[in-house]
Amino acid sequence: MERPSRRILLVDCDQFFVQCARLADPEGAGKQDLLLVGGTKEGRGVVTSASYATRAFGVRSGMPTGQALALCPQAMVAPVPGRVCGERSAAVREVLKRFTPVVEPASIDEAYLDLTGTERLYHGESLADTAKRIQADVLRDTEIQVSLGGGTSKIVAKLAASWAKPAGVFIVEPGEEESFMRRHELADIPGVGPVSAASLRRYGLVRVDDVLAMDEASLKQVIGDRHGAWLHARARGLDGGHVDPVHVARSMSRDETFSHDIDDDSTLARELRRLIRRLGQSLREDGTRARTITVRLRDRDFRTRQASFTVAEPIETDAAIYEVARPLLLRLRKDRPIPARLIGVSASNLMEKQEQSQLGLFAEKKLESDRDRTISRVTDELRDRFGGNAIGPADLMDRREREGLGGWRKREDEE
DNA sequence: TCTGGGGTCCTAGGACCC
DNA sequence: TCTGGGGTCCTAGGACCC
């Protein structure tokens, strides 16, 4: 028996950061056709999102802002309006949930919807008509313009959305997947980036057509079993993916590119502590703890190095994270002591609080106590109420030192 | 014109255990 | 005294996405 084909939509906000910047600043950015969001004239940023008018000049997102301004000197540069982006993203999601509970946010400005089984509920309405109603509701209730792609798989819906832009709807009917895929180059397929595309090109594989002409066995012989099976399916518009409304974070990270390279160990240590403060607060807000801490440095020459360490018992306080991170930073600096342009810290091996009661029993040394965690939550509340700098990390760390919990602050190299 | 910030997944080698 | 294979965990790096 044949299963009914799935009805999947991808809802994608058009130039999302540009729309948000205009909503955040209606009198300034709101009146600019030529608008770049992200980076500054002087700084090292890149364009996060470029308005459609600037794209006519060859501007693309990901391009250094300086380069974009060279192409389009009249453009206005606006910062990424973080708060507005978060609010509108959540608002769009709420509208989508009115149409189906199966909503999977794929990024801040995209979400997959699975409408399989809603035919009767919507009285046999076509997927295209449902998509148009979603589009109209989102615009009316959030002021955000979206495009929608639809099809029988996530990959088809995703590619269809790019044909729908801007402000359109594009549905690939069941049975039309292969002919739709033939319109594309392999590099258009999500997951085929510049490196894979270049290596496929060496085998004469450029368009989806080139892959459709091959049987799976020959394809596997050329590019390997794993990649062969993967590409064979994608070229036909097939992926194994389901629309999964439950998101579990795998990692959390904070990083920062400096306005000028930093070569001083104590300055780097201070930046690391600032990032850990932000990371720690996010972890606690999320109700998760981490077993693995990774410190990352990007050197002046853009080489990126990282060092990580896994502890037996998951941690969540700034002081404990710093205790793990500090030696990692020292090691990276010792290995290659050249100026750094970026420092980052990430937490992975995340566990929810309920999962972790068994783990700490045999840990040789406690990195944080229940009391530490309570204090750090109180600190979060104070920060929320009185602003980011009300209480510094030193307060907690000094206390640890007084009580002999940490040995890491022996060196006179901080602040 | 020098290259953001936040993520996910995969690979590969070595340690360690059975 | 030498020789296995399998499984899991940790670490480092890289491709890729928005």
Side-chain angles (χ1 to χ4, degrees):
Chain A
M1 199 185 82
E2 201 168 311
R3 303 227 315 271
S5 47
R6 294 192 290 159
R7 292 152 43 91
I8 293 175
L9 291 176
L10 177 68
V11 182
D12 194 337
C13 303
D14 297 335
Q15 40 166 16
F16 180 62
F17 293 94
V18 169
Q19 288 199 70
C20 289
R22 287 178 171 152
L23 291 166
D25 176 22
E27 292 308 308
K31 297 191 166 162
Q32 283 287 340
D33 279 340
L34 297 173
L35 182 62
L36 304 174
V37 178
T40 58
K41 284 188 195 73
E42 319 76 37
R44 309 173 118 169
V46 299
V47 175
T48 300
S49 182
S51 71
Y52 287 124
T54 63
R55 296 185 199 188
F57 292 79
V59 174
R60 295 289 175 270
S61 57
M63 185 179 274
T65 306
Q67 184 185 357
L69 283 169
L71 292 167
C72 184
Q74 319 92 298
M76 171 182 176
V77 180
V80 174
R83 191 179 50 82
V84 173
C85 291
E87 288 168 359
R88 298 288 165 152
S89 176
V92 169
R93 215 168 292 168
E94 286 312 306
V95 175
L96 301 182
K97 284 186 192 159
R98 305 207 296 251
F99 288 84
T100 168
V102 192
V103 175
E104 174 185 321
S107 71
I108 193 166
D109 69 340
E110 289 177 316
Y112 288 98
L113 274 61
D114 193 340
L115 291 154
T116 311
T118 61
E119 295 86 347
R120 276 215 298 176
L121 181 67
Y122 292 143
H123 305 104
E125 181 182 53
S126 72
L127 191 55
D129 285 343
T130 307
K132 284 174 195 154
R133 285 201 293 126
I134 293 174
Q135 188 176 48
D137 275 23
V138 170
L139 185 60
R140 187 193 63 212
D141 294 352
T142 72
E143 299 177 274
I144 294 293
Q145 174 187 297
V146 298
S147 297
L148 292 93
T152 55
S153 66
K154 289 166 91 172
I155 179 182
V156 168
K158 167 93 183 149
L159 287 172
S162 60
W163 292 86
K165 280 177 175 294
V169 167
F170 191 101
I171 307 293
V172 177
E173 298 299 332
E176 299 296 315
E177 294 84 1
E178 238 184 72
S179 59
F180 171 69
M181 291 306 295
R182 280 184 200 281
R183 299 186 187 192
H184 298 92
E185 296 199 346
L186 296 172
D188 296 330
I189 294 177
V192 179
V195 175
S196 312
S199 98
L200 289 167
R201 191 156 45 237
R202 273 178 243 124
Y203 299 110
L205 302 174
V206 176
R207 303 200 54 83
V208 166
D209 257 331
D210 302 329
V211 168
L212 286 174
M214 299 174 73
D215 61 58
E216 188 168 357
S218 335
L219 189 60
K220 282 180 172 173
Q221 211 148 38
V222 177
I223 62 173
D225 278 4
R226 207 189 153 77
H227 290 126
W230 187 90
L231 192 58
H232 185 261
R234 300 303 134 127
R236 285 158 181 78
L238 303 171
D239 58 37
H242 285 84
V243 180
D244 182 3
V246 184
H247 174 75
V248 182
R250 296 278 188 311
S251 67
M252 226 182 254
S253 68
R254 295 293 177 267
D255 55 54
E256 192 192 5
T257 298
F258 312 123
S259 51
H260 302 285
D261 296 348
I262 296 181
D263 199 21
D264 175 58
D265 284 337
S266 61
T267 310
L268 286 169
R270 198 176 336 125
E271 294 298 330
L272 179 62
R273 293 220 304 220
R274 283 187 42 229
L275 289 174
I276 287 174
R277 208 147 61 124
R278 289 170 50 202
L279 178 66
Q281 186 153 17
S282 298
L283 275 176
R284 295 185 291 270
E285 277 169 13
D286 216 55
T288 70
R289 293 176 191 160
R291 286 190 53 224
T292 304
I293 302 299
T294 303
V295 174
R296 193 164 62 254
L297 282 182
R298 176 125 73 214
D299 295 332
R300 184 177 49 190
D301 59 3
F302 219 74
R303 185 170 137 196
T304 305
R305 301 174 295 129
Q306 63 178 49
S308 56
F309 190 78
T310 301
V311 296
E313 190 179 7
I315 52 178
E316 65 170 36
T317 63
D318 301 352
I321 297 170
Y322 187 74
E323 193 170 335
V324 177
R326 169 106 179 108
L328 297 173
L329 174 61
L330 291 176
R331 204 169 85 209
L332 289 169
R333 288 289 295 165
K334 201 171 154 229
D335 286 352
R336 198 165 185 249
I338 74 169
R341 76 184 334 263
L342 168 147
I343 188 170
V345 57
S346 95
S348 54
N349 247 315
L350 303 181
M351 338 192 61
E352 305 208 3
K353 273 182 264 163
Q354 299 87 312
E355 294 178 68
Q356 47 203 11
S357 46
Q358 307 291 351
L359 262 165
L361 292 177
F362 305 104
E364 53 306 314
K365 179 186 159 203
K366 284 261 186 214
L367 278 164
E368 65 186 25
S369 66
D370 284 341
R371 197 165 142 249
D372 293 329
R373 291 192 271 265
T374 305
I375 290 172
S376 110
R377 279 165 196 282
V378 170
T379 310
D380 288 344
E381 276 176 45
L382 291 172
R383 264 187 220 147
D384 282 347
R385 247 189 294 170
F386 302 113
N389 292 318
I391 292 189
D395 301 280
L396 271 176
M397 296 186 182
D398 287 348
R399 191 184 66 77
R400 294 178 67 83
E401 193 167 34
R402 277 201 310 277
E403 296 179 3
L405 287 171
W408 42 267
R409 226 190 155 195
K410 298 242 158 65
R411 298 166 48 127
E412 301 277 295
D413 60 359
E414 298 187 34
E415 255 92 1

